[in-house]
Amino acid sequence: MDLGLSRVDYLQVGVTSQKTMKLLPASGRKATQKVVIGDQDGVVTCFGMKKGEAVPVFKTLPGEKIARLELGGALNTPQEKIFVAAGSEVRGFTKKGKQFLAFNTNLTENIKAMHISGSDLFLGASYVYNHYCDCKDQHYYLSGDKINDVLCLPVEKLSCITPVLACQDRVIRVLQGSDLLYEMEVPGPPTVLTLNNGNGGDSGEEVLFGTSDGKIGLVEISGVSPVEKWKIENEKKRGGILCMDSFDILGDGVKELIIGRDDGMLEIYNFEYAKSPILRYEYALSESVTSVQGGCVGKEGYDEIITSTYSGWVSGLTTEPTHRECGSGDGLKMTHEMQNKVLSLRNELEQLQIKVLHEREKYQQSSQSSTAVSAVPTFSINDKFTLNRDDASYSLVLEVQAAIDTVLLQCDVPIDLKDVDKNSAVVSVVDCESEPNGNFLLATYRCQVNTTRLELKILSIEGRYGTLQAYVTPRVQPKTCQVRQYQIKPLSLHQRTHCIDRDRPMNTLTLKGQFSFAEVHSWVVFCLPEVPDKTPVGESVSFYFQNTFLDTQLECTYR
C-alpha cells in the first residue's frame, strides 16, 4: 500500500550507532520538533527546520563514541533532558545544550545500553547491569551473556521498578532488584526492546522485542510469568532489527509499529483487524537504519517518520505532498520558496566543486614534495558475521561510511561463496595452491559506484577450522585498507538453542581429569559459536546446540 510518503534529507552528522537519535517534545501545539543526535565522534547535534533549511540549536565538542542517547525528565512531565552514554560516563544536557550532568559510573566495561525513568538510570555494559537512583548505586546483576538492550516497565503505571534485559543468548531476563525474577526464551538474539505504544499498552506490561535475525514479537511481562502475545517471522529474509517506535502516521487514532532494519529496510505495521500487526508500507534506504522516530520536524501539520542511518544521514519520510499534478496544457509552476531552494543548492554545489578542485591541486603539490608526510585517513566499518538457520550458510555484512572500492577475501580453510541477490559487485576468484601457503580461498569483490554496504554468503565445512580475513578498501585518497578477521569454528554449523529432544538417541563422551572449569569453557568457546567468552558463574553449566545442516543436537555439560 502506498501511504504517499516522500523522502526529505535534512542533515548529515558523523557515523551513528544504534538508538542514538531522538525528537524533543514540541514547545507549542503547532510547533515543529527539534532533532537531537549523537555520533561516533562523541558530538551531540541538535537542530530544527526553518523554511526548509536545517538550523543548528547546539553542537557539543567531540569526545568518546556515543553508544546510546535517551530523553529523560521528571515523571509525568515532557521528557526534554538529553542523556548520552559514552564509554563509562553518562552526560546530561538541557534542550538548549547546557551540560548539567557528568556522571562517571566507574564501570570497567563500556556502556552498551541505557534507559531513563525519572531519577532512575538503568545501564547495561557487556555482561553487567546497574541501576542507579540520583546517581547512587542501587542494584547490580551479572548476566550469563552479553546485554544488548535494557528497559524498565513504566513506574507511573505499575508503581514498582521492573527492569527487562535483552541478552545475546536468545533470552529476555526480568529482574527484581538485583535478583532474576524469571527469563523468557525468544526465537533469536534480541537486539532491541521498546514499550508497546510507547507506554507499555493498557497494562503497562507489554514489551516489543526485535532480534538480530529479523524477527519481531510482543510479550506481556506479568509478575509471575511472561505471556507471548504474537510474533512475526522474517519470511522475506531481511536484515536484523535495530530500532522500533510506535507512532500514528496514518492519522486513524491507532499507533502503527515502525521498524528499522540493518539492511536499510523501513517497515510500517498496522493493527487494523488482526491480533498481530500487518505490514502496510516499506521503504528501502541504502544503508542500515540506526534510529527511527515518528513526529513533526519539517513543516507544522505534516507528520513524518524521522530516520538516522549508519553514515549519519538524518532523513524524513513526510506526509507533506512534494509534487503536484498538472494537466496537459499547464506549465509546471514552482513556488517562490522552491525556486529559492533550488538556486541556493546550485550555488552550494558550485562552491563545493571549486573547493574540491582546489584541495585536489593542493594535495597533488604537497604529495610531490620531498618533505610531505601522508596521513592515513581513518574510516569505521560496521560488520556482522552470522549463521543463517534456514540454509546453514554464514552471512557476512560489511558497511562503510564511504563508498567501497574493493573487498578481498582470504581464508585458510575450504569455504564456498554463494550468490546474493542484493549483491551487484563483480567477483573474481583466484585458483589457490592450498598446501604451501595455507590459502584455500582468494576472492576479490569490485563494487559498483556509491556502494556502501556489501552482503556475502559463505558455506563452511564442519571439522575444518580457521580464519576468514576481509580486506576492505574504500574509495578514499590516499588509498587505505582495513582488515577484519572472522573465526570459523570446528563445529561452525551449530546454533545455540534452549532445549533438546530427550527422546532422541544420543552418543555420550565424558572427560575427567586435572583441568579447571575455565579451561573446559575455553575448549567449548574454541569449538562452538555463540558461546560467551566469559567463564560462567556457578559450579556447573549446560549449553544446547542444534546443527543447522544435519538437524542433529548437542548438549555440553561441565562442572
Side-chain angles (χ1 to χ4, degrees), residues 170 212-213 237 384-397 414-421 455-462 468 487-488 491-495 529-530 546-550:
R170 299 161 190 264
S212 63
D213 52 2
K237 306 285 176 283
K384 192 168 114 175
F385 188 59
T386 46
L387 176 62
N388 303 317
R389 194 185 200 111
D390 310 310
D391 57 358
S393 71
Y394 271 89
S395 168
L396 173 62
V397 178
I415 58 170
D416 283 329
L417 298 173
K418 265 182 88 176
D419 286 339
V420 179
D421 298 337
E455 192 174 329
L456 315 170
K457 263 194 190 289
I458 289 151
L459 295 172
S460 63
I461 303 165
E462 282 217 323
L468 170 68
Q487 295 306 318
I488 292 170
L491 298 175
S492 58
L493 299 180
H494 281 68
Q495 199 170 49
E530 291 191 43
Q546 190 165 13
N547 188 318
T548 53
F549 185 59
L550 301 169

Side-chain angles (χ1 to χ4, degrees), residues 55 63 93 308 323 498 542:
V55 179
F93 299 91
S308 69
H323 51 263
H498 297 297
S542 292

Side-chain angles (χ1 to χ4, degrees), residues 12-76:
Q12 188 177 23
V13 294
V15 172
T16 63
S17 303
Q18 184 187 0
K19 288 173 84 172
T20 49
M21 181 206 70
K22 291 283 177 187
L23 301 187
L24 292 170
S27 48
R29 198 165 63 87
K30 278 192 166 181
T32 55
Q33 292 170 269
K34 306 281 188 287
V35 180
V36 58
I37 183 165
D39 61 31
Q40 290 191 10
D41 298 328
V43 177
V44 180
T45 307
C46 178
F47 72 93
M49 296 302 293
K50 212 169 192 176
K51 292 180 181 172
E53 296 288 325
V55 179
V57 177
F58 71 85
K59 193 172 181 176
T60 66
L61 292 169
E64 209 163 342
K65 170 188 165 178
I66 292 171
R68 279 288 199 272
L69 185 147
E70 292 289 335
L71 299 180
L75 294 173
N76 300 313

Side-chain angles (χ1 to χ4, degrees), residues 38-140:
D39 61 31
Q40 290 191 10
D41 298 328
V43 177
V44 180
T45 307
C46 178
F47 72 93
M49 296 302 293
K50 212 169 192 176
K51 292 180 181 172
E53 296 288 325
V55 179
V57 177
F58 71 85
K59 193 172 181 176
T60 66
L61 292 169
E64 209 163 342
K65 170 188 165 178
I66 292 171
R68 279 288 199 272
L69 185 147
E70 292 289 335
L71 299 180
L75 294 173
N76 300 313
T77 65
Q79 305 290 291
E80 50 188 24
K81 288 192 167 76
I82 302 155
F83 294 89
V84 295
S88 61
E89 189 181 44
V90 176
R91 301 200 303 274
F93 299 91
T94 65
K95 63 179 181 180
K96 295 272 193 268
K98 187 173 187 292
Q99 186 170 335
F100 65 86
L101 174 73
F103 171 47
N104 192 344
T105 59
N106 292 323
L107 291 170
T108 51
E109 300 168 339
N110 286 344
I111 298 166
K112 296 276 193 303
M114 173 171 74
H115 181 78
I116 285 162
S117 168
S119 54
D120 291 293
L121 171 66
F122 305 90
L123 297 177
S126 288
Y127 295 89
V128 179
Y129 153 82
N130 279 78
H131 169 209
Y132 301 91
C133 184
D134 290 322
C135 297
K136 290 186 178 65
D137 209 339
Q138 299 292 315
H139 298 291
Y140 163 91

